[in-house]
Amino acid sequence: MATAAFEDIADTFNFLDDWEDRYRHVIELGKAMPPLDDALKVPATKVDGCASQVWIVPRIDGEGPSATLDFDGESDAMIVRGLISILHALYAGLTTEEALRVDAPAELARLGLNDHLSSQRSNGLRAMVERLRQLANVEAQQA
């Protein structure tokens, strides 16, 4: 299950043959993201397990499994900002129930990220996915 926004990114990645072009595209996606208000960059929104500073601020509309997931995020590293943008495309607009069914590793593998990110960046990406899954899971349990 992938959103139309994620499919657009996957299509662009398929069009870009060279990994350097893909890397630049990820950075451009990050540059296009709005900055996070400094007041939201607090320990509660910080994602542990990332080499860079990363914050994810959830925005949930509704309650329970049918609540819609969205989030804002930022990092002090441009490539990581781009990865946040990709995760936003993958998850934003899904219900919490749908978000829990997303096979993020498989979807991200379609982009070839696993083969081209350092182990620290890969660990950080997994930590961000885990945070989003936790947020969706907590909300999905609400009745």
Side-chain angles (χ1 to χ4, degrees):
M1 161 184 288
T3 65
F6 184 82
E7 289 301 333
D8 286 346
I9 292 171
D11 288 346
T12 300
F13 267 64
N14 286 335
F15 177 75
L16 299 170
D17 295 328
D18 181 39
W19 177 249
E20 290 298 319
D21 291 336
R22 291 178 178 187
Y23 197 80
R24 277 191 290 277
H25 184 62
V26 172
I27 290 172
E28 289 302 315
L29 290 170
K31 286 180 180 178
M33 287 180 47
L36 196 59
D37 188 309
D38 284 343
L40 297 173
K41 296 177 184 177
V42 296
T45 62
K46 191 168 187 297
V47 178
D48 294 324
C50 298
S52 305
Q53 300 279 345
V54 176
W55 300 270
I56 291 180
V57 180
R59 289 183 287 136
I60 309 288
D61 186 22
E63 290 183 356
S66 61
T68 305
L69 176 66
D70 198 356
F71 67 93
D72 295 316
E74 190 171 333
S75 174
D76 60 351
M78 287 312 296
I79 188 70
V80 178
R81 281 179 65 98
L83 295 175
I84 294 168
S85 180
I86 289 171
L87 290 177
H88 189 267
L90 184 60
Y91 284 102
L94 297 179
T95 66
T96 56
E97 188 174 54
E98 291 168 335
L100 291 170
R101 289 197 309 260
V102 169
D103 185 349
E107 294 296 340
L108 295 170
R110 292 173 48 203
L111 305 181
L113 292 174
N114 300 344
D115 301 329
H116 296 281
L117 293 176
S118 68
S119 61
Q120 281 186 320
R121 293 277 186 249
S122 293
N123 288 340
L125 185 57
R126 278 192 294 277
M128 289 186 282
V129 167
E130 186 54 34
R131 171 65 67 89
L132 292 169
R133 289 186 55 77
Q134 287 171 352
L135 294 168
N137 190 44
V138 166
E139 188 56 43
Q141 301 303 315
Q142 304 295 319

